[in-house]
Each structure stands twice: as C-alpha cells, then as structure tokens.
C-alpha cells in the first residue's frame, strides 16, 4: 500500500444524477478512477440520497473511540439509499482501478487510466421505503446490520442476509 499520506485514500462521491464516482489524490482529482450509474429494476437511472460502506465490526474489548480506525476498504459492501425509496447493496470492485493508479512497489504513481464511460453497477434490492431514503448507516458492532431512515418517517433495521427488514419503526397515526 502507498505510504505517502496524500496517495493513500480513495474518495467516493454519489449524486442525484445517479452517479457513483471514485477519486484519488494520485491524479490530483482531475478525473474519477471509476464511474458507475445506479439503475432501478426498470433500468431507469435513480438519484442517490444516502451511502454507507460496511465496516469491519469492533472486536471484543475494543472501545467505541477506536471506531475511526475501522475504515471501510475498497472490497467492502456499499449500501445505497435512493430517491425512489429503494435500498441497494453492491460491491463496486474498484480495487483494480486503484492498483493502476497507486502501485504498491513504487513510490511514483503510474499513469492514470480513468474509466471515462459510466458502467451500470449491479445491485441487490432490499424492501423499499415509501419515501426517499435520507440516511443509511452500518452497525459498528454487528457485521451484517444496518439502519435506513426515510422521509416517510420510517426507520428500518436490516440484515445484509435478508431482503426484508428485521424491525420497522413508523410514526404513530397521532403524530
């Protein structure tokens, strides 16, 4: 892995135009390393509202203050909440693009070969909310659990192993 601080990190951005882009400081953020489109079941592009990467769980005896050190890797699952209320799970697989930019054996970055055309990111679907998904976050303690929040007022607790939520919290009729 690259030892210089400015070349060590990959930045991931998502937007309302349905694009998920991966960036690197190795090419001074001039062009994305990888460029993906998010499509729904009808093959229409949907805007991304929320994004989270699955983190490795904290070990027994570790403190919550060390959570910052458990950063997601490029091979971790990525969870997306979109404007249609759908929740997606995907694995972008940008490791090969990163290895072209940040060689492990050299201190000088190789020529950047960005992916100019968008490719469609294959996704798995979870049960949708009735409104846009505003937040997605993964549990720091349980590997397969994540929570989604929607503008319809509902919260859903999911396991990555099941398409339906483990728990659903909705506002009462009186509120």
């Amino acid at each position: 892995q690259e030892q210089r601080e400015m070349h060590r990190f990959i930045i991931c951005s998502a937007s309302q135009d349905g694009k998920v882009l991966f960036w690197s400081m190795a090419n001074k953020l001039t062009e994305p390393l990888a460029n993906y489109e998010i499509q729904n079941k009808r093959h229409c592009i949907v805007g991304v509202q929320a994004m989270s990467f699955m983190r490795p769980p904290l070990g027994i005896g570790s403190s919550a203050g060390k959570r910052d050190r458990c950063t997601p890797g490029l091979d971790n699952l990525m969870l997306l909440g979109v404007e249609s209320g759908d929740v997606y799970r995907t694995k972008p697989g940008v490791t090969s693009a990163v290895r072209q930019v940040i060689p492990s054996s050299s201190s000088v970055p190789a020529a950047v070969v960005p992916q100019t055309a968008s490719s469609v990111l294959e996704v798995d679907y979870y049960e949708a909310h009735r409104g846009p998904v505003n937040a997605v976050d993964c549990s720091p303690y349980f590997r397969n659990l994540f929570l989604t929040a929607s503008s319809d007022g509902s919260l859903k607790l999911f396991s990555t192993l099941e398409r339906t939520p483990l728990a659903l919290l909705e506002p009462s009729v009186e509120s």
Side-chain angles (χ1 to χ4, degrees), residues 54-66:
M54 297 296 289
R55 297 184 278 275
L58 291 173
I60 296 174
S62 61
S63 68
K66 294 182 182 179

Side-chain angles (χ1 to χ4, degrees), residues 1 5 12 41 54-56 80 83 86 92 94 112 140 168 173:
Q1 183 177 2
E5 191 70 27
C12 180
K41 294 177 185 176
M54 297 296 289
R55 297 184 278 275
L80 301 169
E83 62 190 0
D86 291 326
V94 295
V112 176
L168 170 64
V173 179

Side-chain angles (χ1 to χ4, degrees), residues 142 161 171:
F142 299 100
L161 307 174

Side-chain angles (χ1 to χ4, degrees), residues 58-88:
L58 291 173
I60 296 174
S62 61
S63 68
K66 294 182 182 179
R67 179 179 174 199
D68 299 0
R69 296 183 194 165
C70 295
T71 56
L74 294 172
D75 294 325
N76 292 62
L77 288 175
M78 181 170 59
L79 299 166
L80 301 169
V82 298
E83 62 190 0
S84 63
D86 291 326
V87 179
Y88 302 144

Side-chain angles (χ1 to χ4, degrees), residues 94-144:
V94 295
T95 306
S96 60
V98 172
R99 286 191 182 130
Q100 290 176 2
V101 177
I102 307 171
S104 58
S105 61
S106 171
S107 62
V108 178
V112 176
V113 184
Q115 177 185 334
T116 54
S118 292
S119 59
V120 176
L121 199 57
E122 292 183 27
V123 295
D124 290 327
Y125 302 91
Y126 290 97
E127 184 179 294
H129 285 271
R130 289 185 304 271
V133 177
N134 296 331
V136 176
D137 200 13
C138 305
S139 171
Y141 301 103
F142 299 100
R143 175 186 319 228
N144 296 317

Side-chain angles (χ1 to χ4, degrees), residues 16-30:
Q16 287 290 314
D17 65 354
K19 302 263 191 210
V20 175
L21 306 173
F22 289 87
W23 306 83
S24 172
M25 290 300 294
N27 67 358
K28 298 181 181 171
L29 304 175
T30 55

